[in-house]
Amino acid sequence: MRMKKVIIVGGDKVAYNLIGLLSEEKVYDVRVIDTRIEICERIANNFDVKVFHGDGTNVDILERAEAMGADVLIALTGTDESNLVACQIAKMHFDVALTIAKVNN
């Protein structure tokens, strides 16, 4: 069975809990992108996932995270605009099958 590639943009509480849940399952190839180095280090030290330091709305960072053809991209940053832009780039530029954006307002 093929592992499902899941990219999570953001590393705050909701994202951290989701990373924990998904990383326990052996069917997901989880990749996390966050702009804060301390969050990246915390996630890398606590979970067996690939972590990328950078902006999830940046095409180069998404390429490094191998977003092309990913099954899901979930944008969970604290900024609605960033979440929506990350999802739009993932859909239009990287052909991600499903995108989910956390939107507060």
Side-chain angles (χ1 to χ4, degrees), residues 77-97:
T77 73
T79 308
D80 293 353
E81 295 83 5
S82 294
N83 293 340
L84 293 168
V85 168
C87 287
Q88 186 173 18
I89 292 170
K91 271 280 191 201
M92 298 178 80
H93 189 76
F94 292 99
D95 197 30
V96 174

Side-chain angles (χ1 to χ4, degrees), residues 53-71:
H53 176 242
D55 184 343
T57 65
N58 182 296
V59 171
D60 292 335
I61 296 297
L62 289 166
E63 283 177 354
R64 282 189 25 226
E66 300 176 16
M68 185 58 75
D71 295 287

Side-chain angles (χ1 to χ4, degrees), residues 80-81 84 102-105:
D80 293 353
E81 295 83 5
L84 293 168
K102 178 180 88 170
V103 178
N104 294 308
N105 293 320

Side-chain angles (χ1 to χ4, degrees), residues 44-60:
N45 289 333
N46 290 302
F47 302 110
D48 184 23
V49 298
K50 295 175 183 167
V51 181
F52 301 87
H53 176 242
D55 184 343
T57 65
N58 182 296
V59 171
D60 292 335

